[in-house]
Amino acid sequence: MVILVVFDIRLSATVYLLAFNFAKQISIMVFSSVAGGMYSTIGYQNTYYILSVVVLVITIMSIYTLENDKKHKKMKVSGSFSPITVKK
């Protein structure tokens, strides 16, 4: 939220979208090259077994590392930049 105080919201949203699109295109290029190489070397079925294990590991890691933002909801006080905690 601090970036919104310094920059115009339209500019920060545009920069965010451009950076997100760039990162997405690069990751597609990298991951498709890796998957294509795996198809060639170990075959179609084994490639999908490996990809599914990778997704399962990332999912299990995210269960333990991500937290609920609703527990730490912040709200700005009118005319002030210091956040206060809202308890629900």
Side-chain angles (χ1 to χ4, degrees):
M1 286 293 206
V2 177
I3 195 168
L4 296 178
V5 175
V6 179
F7 296 107
D8 181 24
I9 192 168
R10 293 171 295 190
L11 176 65
S12 62
T14 303
V15 170
Y16 174 77
L17 288 174
L18 289 173
F20 177 77
N21 190 30
F22 179 74
K24 183 180 72 166
Q25 294 299 325
I26 294 296
S27 64
I28 287 171
M29 182 180 68
V30 169
F31 292 133
S32 64
S33 299
V34 169
M38 289 171 63
Y39 281 170
S40 300
T41 57
I42 62 173
Y44 178 81
Q45 187 175 10
N46 292 330
T47 298
Y48 276 94
Y49 284 147
I50 292 172
L51 292 176
S52 64
V53 168
V54 169
V55 169
L56 179 64
V57 167
I58 291 172
T59 302
I60 291 171
M61 286 175 31
S62 67
I63 288 171
Y64 293 108
T65 58
L66 296 177
E67 61 183 39
N68 188 355
D69 285 344
K70 291 181 182 179
K71 291 180 184 176
H72 306 289
K73 186 88 173 172
K74 303 279 184 178
M75 184 176 85
K76 285 187 181 178
V77 178
S78 179
S80 173
F81 291 110
S82 60
I84 61 170
T85 304
V86 177
K87 295 181 182 178
K88 290 188 177 185

